[in-house]
Amino acid sequence: MSLRHAILGLLAIEPMSGYEVKKTIDASVGHFWAADQSQVYRTLADLVDHGLAARRTVVQEERPNMHVHSLTELGAAELDAWLVAPLRMPPTRDPFLARLFFADRLPPGGIAEVLDARRRELAGELAALRAIAVPAAAADLGAALRLATLDYGITVVEAELAWLDRTQRELERITS
């Protein structure tokens, strides 16, 4: 996935300004595909330059003009082609797992702190995911798919927390 496709997907839902795109990313796909504001604006400009998005200017009296972006037919075709293209698993780069792999250099208390720090990080992520307002039932297919990605995120974090607990018990057994 690229930020380009994430933004095309958001514009397929509704036209947005760059500010709205960034805000929506932070509240939704940002849990699995993060982007900073400058990346969003560069990508929007690139989409417009390549005819994948259109930009219209909304003149505002007491604020700077707002540029609202919408998906073009070419952009919709690009998004649709990406949606059905085969995915390749990207190489995994997980700093936590790399640290844990070599953590036998630390005393047992240091290893426990590495695990506890990860547990705190995951607890924060889980709280953020659970705080996302969701309707009792999905109103349409798009909402159902977005709820499924939220459920996936929660499930993955809960699974890693359970794995951390098992790992901690096993390490305590070995070091006791």
Side-chain angles (χ1 to χ4, degrees):
M1 181 175 162
S2 69
L3 179 58
R4 171 188 192 110
H5 294 110
I7 291 175
L8 286 172
L10 293 175
L11 295 179
I13 296 170
E14 67 179 311
M16 296 182 200
S17 69
Y19 172 80
E20 292 167 325
V21 168
K22 174 63 173 137
K23 189 174 168 183
T24 303
I25 285 173
D26 289 346
S28 60
V29 298
H31 292 282
F32 53 87
W33 199 269
D36 64 38
Q37 190 166 355
S38 64
Q39 290 173 305
V40 168
Y41 283 101
R42 276 193 314 272
T43 302
L44 282 168
D46 184 63
L47 292 173
V48 170
D49 289 346
H50 287 90
L52 302 174
R55 176 174 53 217
R56 71 179 168 83
T57 301
V58 176
V59 178
Q60 302 184 109
E61 291 295 321
E62 297 184 18
R63 294 177 160 183
N65 292 341
M66 180 172 56
H67 303 287
V68 178
H69 299 81
S70 57
L71 195 64
T72 63
E73 286 185 33
L74 188 59
E78 167 77 14
L79 178 60
D80 292 345
W82 172 76
L83 286 169
V84 297
L87 290 175
R88 291 189 331 242
M89 290 296 292
T92 301
R93 291 186 176 137
D94 189 322
F96 167 73
L97 288 177
R99 180 175 287 174
L100 187 61
F101 190 86
F102 297 110
D104 61 336
R105 296 182 49 78
L106 299 173
I111 296 170
E113 180 50 38
V114 168
L115 295 173
D116 288 342
R118 180 64 171 185
R119 194 175 283 108
R120 287 189 300 273
E121 179 185 338
L122 290 169
E125 177 66 16
L126 186 58
L129 291 170
R130 287 183 173 158
I132 295 173
V134 295
D140 59 27
L141 181 58
L145 292 169
R146 287 181 271 290
L147 287 174
T149 60
L150 175 61
D151 181 53
Y152 173 86
I154 291 169
T155 301
V156 167
V157 172
E158 289 173 339
E160 187 170 345
L161 285 166
W163 171 81
L164 282 169
D165 290 342
R166 287 191 312 273
T167 300
Q168 182 90 44
R169 285 191 303 272
E170 179 63 13
L171 295 175
E172 288 170 355
R173 183 190 68 76
I174 292 170
T175 58
S176 297

